[in-house]
Amino acid sequence: MYPSFGEEKNFAHQGQYTGSFGGYDGSMSFNKGVFVPGPRKRMNVVPMIVCTLVPWSLFVLVFGIMAFSFHYLQPTISTLVVFGLLALVVGVAVKAFAGRLKIFAGMAGEREPSWLIFFALSLFLAWVVGFLQGSANFSANTGRYYDIGNLNNYTNVYPNRMLGQQLLDAGVVAFAPGSQLDIKHSMGFKNQEVYCVAPIVFGATPPATYDFWAVGTGCCSGNQPDFHCSNSNNPQASGGIRLMNAGDRAYYRLAVQQAEATYNIKASHPLFFRWEVEPSKQVESWMADGQRNFISWVLSYLLFQLFLVVVAAFVFSKIGQH
């Protein structure tokens, strides 16, 4: 006889089979992970979204901290914050390798641990790339912009009238029209690289003290007056950006001392500058370059992370078929 409605209901509640013929366990009914075993496999997009946006956001945060004003104004705190983020990444990695992150929780038989490991590795990669590229951007662009921004700008400076002591806080100097480099009194000091200097002068009358010098590396022979550094032959160049590298400054000072001894001139308080056409615009371009570099990396890393997620999903789907 056919079972009654009540008996059929009871059968459904008790219908749990186990054993060698592959039974059905009701406790496994609706708990789905990334890949659902069986003839039809569908993907859970939540881990994919998390694995795309969270590492990318970490990259943006670390890059931004290392590349801009927070790093310059609060170097110790910014370092602590960035390495605090690294500690969080390590914590996520520990839990990920233990398979305990709830956001990826799934059935033991599925491939969720692969996403966990991928997530941890993506976070670590994002931190490393963000730290390195942010630091590089700071060194190449924004850091020196902030350095010069802390100093004063001077215009219409006559190098034959002003003394170095009067412009110790100069960052950008626009010299008076007609100022030029005195190549015949240039000199170089060699220490692996050649550190080249040439005095900035005005008119034919020698100044009482040569306190303003254009500098560059590897652009003179070091044994004769042949300074040919950036803009040395450009008649429109009449400004300078202050040299901020303390390590290089010592070698340029030695080159000036050689020039003093060789040409019998005096340099009481030498200041060193990069010879430029429009120094203020050059300084502003550093920040613009830093911002462009940041935006470029932000967009590129988003595409890169998305590419990694797509590749990982493809690989995991192949694994899930076996």
Side-chain angles (χ1 to χ4, degrees):
M1 295 179 64
Y2 294 100
S4 67
F5 178 82
E7 291 174 335
E8 182 179 6
K9 182 176 181 181
N10 186 55
F11 178 82
H13 278 289
Q14 296 179 1
Q16 177 176 322
Y17 292 92
T18 57
S20 59
F21 294 100
Y24 169 78
D25 187 349
S27 65
M28 297 174 59
S29 58
F30 297 110
N31 184 15
K32 301 181 187 298
V34 176
F35 299 105
V36 180
R40 296 182 63 186
K41 297 179 175 64
R42 60 190 181 91
M43 189 163 299
N44 185 354
V45 298
V46 173
M48 297 179 64
I49 295 174
V50 171
C51 288
T52 300
L53 296 183
V54 175
W56 173 71
S57 299
L58 177 66
F59 168 81
V60 173
L61 180 59
V62 173
F63 193 116
I65 290 174
M66 295 306 300
F68 294 106
S69 59
F70 185 52
H71 181 195
Y72 186 81
L73 297 174
Q74 302 290 344
T76 301
I77 296 177
S78 64
T79 300
L80 290 175
V81 170
V82 167
F83 279 90
L85 292 172
L86 177 60
L88 291 177
V89 171
V90 172
V92 169
V94 171
K95 287 192 174 184
F97 279 90
R100 294 170 58 187
L101 284 184
K102 292 183 179 180
I103 195 169
F104 297 98
M107 293 164 51
E110 298 185 67
R111 300 296 176 173
E112 301 290 5
S114 299
W115 279 112
L116 287 171
I117 295 172
F118 175 81
F119 181 63
L121 294 177
S122 293
L123 287 175
F124 181 73
L125 179 63
W127 188 93
V128 170
V129 178
F131 181 82
L132 294 178
Q133 292 301 323
S135 300
N137 194 21
F138 184 83
S139 298
N141 298 306
T142 56
R144 51 182 182 166
Y145 170 84
Y146 295 129
D147 280 338
I148 295 297
N150 281 333
L151 300 175
N152 284 328
N153 289 7
Y154 289 90
T155 59
N156 204 35
V157 172
Y158 286 85
N160 61 331
R161 300 178 188 174
M162 302 291 289
L163 301 176
Q165 282 180 307
Q166 297 174 280
L167 277 75
L168 290 177
D169 63 345
V172 173
V173 174
F175 292 98
S179 299
Q180 58 186 344
L181 302 184
D182 184 4
I183 303 298
K184 66 179 182 296
H185 287 142
S186 64
M187 182 56 67
F189 175 82
K190 187 172 184 179
N191 181 42
Q192 294 183 336
E193 286 195 82
V194 182
Y195 294 84
C196 309
V197 297
I200 303 170
V201 298
F202 180 86
T205 304
T209 175
Y210 290 81
D211 284 351
F212 303 99
W213 295 77
V215 300
T217 54
C219 45
C220 67
S221 62
N223 51 27
Q224 56 182 337
D226 57 355
F227 185 92
H228 54 274
C229 299
S230 178
N231 292 310
S232 59
N233 294 321
N234 190 339
Q236 297 182 349
S238 61
I241 300 174
R242 184 79 170 269
L243 174 75
M244 301 300 296
N245 190 316
D248 289 348
R249 191 181 303 125
Y251 296 117
Y252 289 125
R253 185 69 182 90
L254 291 173
V256 169
Q257 290 175 359
Q258 286 188 180
E260 289 181 285
T262 302
Y263 304 122
N264 194 27
I265 58 177
K266 181 181 179 181
S268 301
H269 294 89
L271 303 180
F272 304 116
F273 298 89
R274 301 287 183 183
W275 192 237
E276 299 286 347
V277 176
E278 293 181 310
S280 294
K281 289 186 177 181
Q282 179 62 41
V283 172
E284 292 296 329
S285 73
W286 294 340
M287 176 54 74
D289 289 344
Q291 292 171 340
R292 279 193 296 268
N293 183 268
F294 174 70
I295 293 172
S296 175
W297 269 101
V298 166
L299 297 177
S300 298
Y301 202 86
L302 178 59
L303 295 177
F304 172 71
Q305 187 63 33
L306 182 60
F307 170 76
L308 292 182
V309 169
V310 170
V311 171
F314 176 77
V315 172
F316 296 161
S317 68
K318 294 297 183 183
I319 295 175
Q321 293 175 2
H322 297 286

